[in-house]
Amino acid sequence: MKPIRHSAWFMIMPVMIVLLFTAIIPLMTVVNYSVQDILGPTRRVFVGDEWFRDTLGDPNLQRALLRQLIFSSCVLIIEIPLGLGLALVMPRRGFAASAALVLLGMPLLIPWNVVGTIWQIFGRADVGLGGYFMNTVLGIPYNYALVPNDAWFTLLLLDVWHWTPLVVLLCYAGLRAIPDAFYQAAAVDGASTWSVFRFVQLPKLRGVLTIAILLRFMDSFVIYTEPLVLTGGGPGDTTTFLSQFLTKLAIGQFDVGPAAAFSLIYFLIILLFSWLFYTALAAQDPKDTPHAGEGA
Amino acid sequence: MARIRLHDIAHSYIPNPVKPADFALQQLDLTWDDGGAYALLGPSGSGKSTLLNILSGLVRPSHGRLLFDDVDVTDTDTRSRNIAQVFQFPVIYDTMTVYENLAFPLRNRGVGASATRKRVDQVAAILDLTGDLKNRASGLTADTKQRISMGRGLVRTDVAAILFDEPLTVIDPALKWQLRRKLKQIHHELEVTLIYVTHDQTEALTFADRVVVMDRGAVLQQGTPQELFENPQHVFVGHFIGSPGMNLMPCKMDGSAAMIGTQRVALPPERIAGSRAGEMTLGIRPEFVSLFDPGDAALLHVSVEEVEPLGGHQLIHARLDETRISIKAEPEIGVAPGVRLAVWLPQAHIKLYSDGRLVV
């Protein structure tokens, strides 16, 4: 048996202290709020799991959660294949490659609220290029402030525009890392373009795609600024997602208890999905299962 | 299976090559017989990989034609060319089993399921992969992966040649000779043309029936290992092959002898007649330099600088004016540094080179 050196605990103390103040104490405060009804500076009542049951039973919140799930699914379904496709057709070297990388990187540099504002103006029928083009040139009635479908369409388009480049850059880097010999061997073996994609490129991209899916899921699941700037959560509450709902609850109405309970649920949902994605993708990683003979 | 003809092939990576230095591969004309084992031997940058890529179709030669059995394949792409290639690093398809890896080239070419199974089983048996067929290919060791890469080349019955691009680079030294023997065995059993690129002379000489020695984009000599050893056509071949390489001593022709510094190496009249005036190079292998008069040999006086005892023989490094000479001698002969030594150069093994090329 290896001797255990307890001095190692001492080495990780600085990190533990930092984590204590940045993560553990704030999280415990939230836990504290979530089980009490705070009536005033000195008056508080322990309510147990009441806030949790209340929040989970709230039909408005259930709808926001459903909306959030649909939105994140749409984001993943559009951005991952689109990003991968773009990375595959991007030029590999020369001036064109540099130009494409710079152009793709640009949306990533723009702050969230600016992105919201850009699309807010772009989509307007009176002064916005996009809105004017849709309504006047194409003759398709389009108004994201009034029609829920138009609001969703604009919001998805905005997110795709803003974040697909991230997926492209990740996939592009992954593709560049595949040694030429793999392509040459595939050509020698007579593999079709599809086979090269299916058996060479896709397996080699597993790692970056896992990262891309996790990042895009987590980011889109906590989306806040863009819908707030673009539609303010409307029309009605059709683009009110979880973050905005939570903010309204905690700061707008100052319902700290339910907001805390909901924050914890929110956190657990993200953790759960991230874990699910990660395990599902890592489980297929051949490196972890060297002798998966049963799959033959 | 096919006879491969490289007809006046040359390659340059720049558009309008003029001088020889513009070419990665100087013009060459070679014919390789069906079923032979060939090695392309040369240091890095000698153009051997370019030549290999021309054969596999990854590079289209800028000049000349490539013929498989008199069919011009110069413009045929890799996919439709009947060539298999094994790369320096094992290339396997991670997500497939060993069986699927081996079957992949056949499935891509529309070979039926039962024919595929039969052929894959046969090849797996040759490569000792039968037990691994159902395993994922990715978790295996480097040498097993390299055997899979070889297997993908071997399963195809239609290949004109299998190309090996320094395939043993990443293999554990202990397993290298096993794989090399496997290759020899494959060559015997399947009678397929094998073309093997390497910078390691031992690998080339033990593997190939015929070795093509290359340097700076030019083919210097093609021959059996024996021919390369006994009769190097170029000083580079003499120096590159052998351990240590051939002794190369600058000399001047003077009447009936070659002058190395102030010493005369008497040569028979017919060799003098064939030689050229001016600076030449006299070459002789360390193995052929004798410490005793074997008869019909030229005498030289050298001073010993260093002696390396190597078990089976000893290697004597000596100096002759400004020129160094190595001598392989029996281990029991007592020689010490500083000693003056008389050595004989047998006439039959003396080679004379002018501008690097063999003259007489």
Side-chain angles (χ1 to χ4, degrees):
Chain A
M1 203 181 124
K2 269 189 178 172
I4 296 166
R5 288 184 50 193
H6 290 283
S7 57
W9 290 109
F10 186 70
M11 303 295 196
I12 60 169
M13 276 303 283
V15 171
M16 295 306 288
I17 292 169
V18 170
L19 272 181
L20 194 69
F21 282 99
T22 57
I24 300 170
I25 293 177
L27 188 68
M28 286 309 123
T29 317
V30 175
V31 173
N32 186 36
Y33 285 152
S34 72
V35 290
Q36 300 190 75
D37 192 354
I38 298 172
L39 302 165
T42 51
R43 288 192 59 212
R44 55 191 62 196
V45 185
F46 182 77
V47 294
D49 61 354
E50 192 188 321
W51 294 137
F52 287 91
R53 276 187 283 113
D54 268 12
T55 345
L56 286 173
D58 182 350
N60 284 330
L61 191 135
Q62 288 168 354
R63 280 206 303 277
L65 177 62
L66 182 68
R67 233 176 269 136
Q68 185 69 71
L69 285 171
I70 294 172
F71 181 76
S72 285
S73 308
C74 289
V75 161
L76 290 182
I77 288 166
I78 298 169
E79 290 180 16
I80 299 296
L82 184 64
L84 183 56
L86 285 173
L88 284 169
V89 299
M90 249 174 76
R92 293 181 184 198
R93 53 183 67 85
F95 175 76
S98 316
L101 284 173
V102 170
L103 282 175
L104 276 169
M106 243 136 53
L108 297 174
L109 300 174
I110 303 173
W112 291 260
N113 57 344
V114 178
V115 171
T117 313
I118 289 174
W119 284 82
Q120 207 257 4
I121 296 168
F122 181 72
R124 277 172 63 166
D126 48 358
V127 295
L129 195 61
Y132 180 84
F133 184 76
M134 289 286 278
N135 284 299
T136 315
V137 180
L138 294 182
I140 301 168
Y142 162 83
N143 188 335
Y144 64 79
L146 287 177
V147 187
N149 280 345
D150 291 355
W152 266 76
F153 172 76
T154 316
L155 210 52
L156 277 173
L157 200 63
L158 172 158
D159 200 86
V160 167
W161 175 82
H162 197 185
W163 291 112
T164 306
L166 178 76
V167 182
V168 178
L169 292 183
L170 282 169
C171 290
Y172 187 74
L175 284 171
R176 291 288 73 76
I178 302 175
D180 273 347
F182 280 85
Y183 294 108
Q184 294 171 346
V188 167
D189 290 337
S192 60
T193 313
W194 165 251
S195 288
V196 171
F197 173 70
R198 169 72 185 77
F199 297 114
V200 177
Q201 292 170 324
L202 206 52
K204 297 274 172 211
L205 287 181
R206 187 192 310 281
V208 289
L209 280 176
T210 307
I211 299 289
I213 290 174
L214 280 179
L215 282 179
R216 282 318 302 132
F217 171 75
M218 289 189 287
D219 261 7
S220 66
F221 209 74
V222 299
I223 190 167
Y224 175 71
T225 320
E226 295 96 321
L228 188 74
V229 174
L230 187 76
T231 60
D237 61 355
T238 48
T239 55
T240 302
F241 296 111
L242 288 181
S243 290
Q244 203 183 332
F245 189 88
L246 178 64
T247 315
K248 220 187 282 176
L249 206 61
I251 297 165
Q253 296 158 225
F254 223 74
D255 287 335
V256 179
F262 178 62
S263 290
L264 290 175
I265 296 167
Y266 198 177
F267 170 66
L268 289 175
I269 291 173
I270 294 175
L271 207 61
L272 174 73
F273 273 97
S274 298
W275 179 78
L276 282 177
F277 279 129
Y278 184 78
T279 345
L281 286 159
Q284 290 175 37
D285 194 333
K287 282 180 207 75
D288 292 347
T289 51
H291 293 288
E294 65 280 359
Chain B
M1 308 274 165
R3 197 168 56 105
I4 297 169
R5 169 101 197 267
L6 298 135
H7 183 63
D8 292 340
I9 294 260
H11 185 69
S12 173
Y13 288 105
I14 58 172
N16 290 307
V18 198
K19 32 183 212 305
D22 294 343
F23 285 90
L25 192 64
Q26 309 290 337
Q27 192 175 55
L28 55 89
D29 199 311
L30 292 171
T31 304
W32 289 332
D33 291 327
D34 186 11
Y38 295 88
L40 304 181
L41 175 64
S44 46
S46 61
K48 53 195 192 320
S49 291
T50 304
L51 184 52
L52 201 73
N53 288 339
I54 286 173
L55 288 170
S56 62
L58 298 170
V59 169
R60 191 199 173 284
S62 56
H63 299 75
R65 315 302 300 172
L66 177 66
L67 309 169
F68 289 175
D69 270 344
D70 301 324
V71 179
D72 191 332
V73 295
T74 320
D75 298 314
T76 312
D77 70 356
T78 306
R79 216 169 253 98
S80 20
R81 204 179 272 201
N82 294 330
I83 280 283
Q85 188 164 357
V86 178
F87 296 87
Q88 196 166 2
F89 299 97
V91 175
I92 50 149
Y93 302 103
D94 293 340
T95 51
M96 297 186 192
T97 63
V98 174
Y99 179 86
E100 288 164 335
N101 259 281
L102 293 177
F104 191 58
L106 298 180
R107 287 178 177 163
N108 285 332
R109 287 175 174 80
V111 176
S114 65
T116 301
R117 173 155 286 281
K118 224 174 117 190
R119 183 69 184 167
V120 169
D121 285 343
Q122 188 189 352
V123 168
I126 296 174
L127 292 170
D128 301 327
L129 287 170
T130 309
D132 285 320
L133 279 179
K134 287 187 171 167
N135 290 338
R136 276 273 197 114
S138 57
L140 302 168
T141 55
D143 70 295
T144 314
K145 285 182 181 175
Q146 197 59 306
R147 273 186 283 143
I148 297 170
S149 305
M150 288 181 195
R152 284 206 317 274
L154 295 171
V155 285
R156 289 162 59 192
T157 47
D158 61 342
V159 288
I162 304 179
L163 315 178
F164 295 88
D165 190 358
E166 311 206 13
L168 302 182
T169 312
V170 292
I171 308 300
D172 197 57
L175 294 167
K176 263 187 188 175
W177 67 271
Q178 278 187 14
L179 268 182
R180 209 183 304 155
R181 237 180 38 173
K182 200 95 241 168
L183 274 176
K184 275 248 162 197
Q185 183 197 339
I186 288 163
H187 184 237
H188 272 286
E189 284 181 27
L190 301 178
E191 293 175 337
V192 58
T193 311
L194 302 182
I195 297 165
Y196 191 104
V197 162
T198 180
H199 59 261
D200 179 340
Q201 54 160 316
T202 320
E203 248 173 64
L205 299 178
T206 52
F207 167 81
D209 304 331
R210 294 181 76 77
V211 178
V212 179
V213 183
M214 300 184 69
D215 184 41
R216 281 180 253 167
V219 171
L220 300 178
Q221 187 172 2
Q222 171 172 258
T224 62
Q226 195 66 24
E227 283 165 13
L228 295 179
F229 184 76
E230 288 182 351
N231 207 14
Q233 298 292 310
H234 194 280
V235 287
F236 179 83
V237 179
H239 178 74
F240 195 66
I241 289 180
S243 173
M246 192 179 228
N247 292 305
L248 296 164
M249 298 173 275
C251 65
K252 275 199 179 82
M253 301 314 289
D254 175 31
S256 61
M259 299 293 296
I260 301 174
T262 54
Q263 297 200 38
R264 291 171 64 83
V265 177
L267 293 168
E270 68 271 16
R271 306 205 65 173
I272 298 293
S275 67
R276 289 176 201 159
E279 294 285 338
M280 295 193 70
T281 304
L282 186 148
I284 186 158
R285 290 213 173 265
E287 289 83 356
F288 298 135
V289 181
S290 176
L291 298 184
F292 307 102
D293 185 1
D296 192 24
L299 182 67
L300 276 183
H301 293 282
V302 298
S303 49
V304 177
E305 289 204 314
E306 198 192 337
V307 180
E308 284 181 65
L310 294 169
H313 64 268
Q314 57 181 335
L315 197 57
I316 303 168
H317 298 282
R319 184 184 273 278
L320 193 166
D321 298 330
E322 292 304 302
T323 316
R324 289 170 186 283
I325 179 167
S326 307
I327 303 146
K328 259 190 191 177
E330 302 289 316
E332 53 271 13
I333 298 170
V335 183
V339 166
R340 288 285 286 177
L341 204 60
V343 296
W344 276 268
L345 315 180
Q347 294 289 352
H349 295 299
I350 295 177
K351 306 288 166 195
L352 286 170
Y353 299 90
S354 172
D355 280 340
R357 303 224 151 256
L358 182 68
V359 182
V360 280

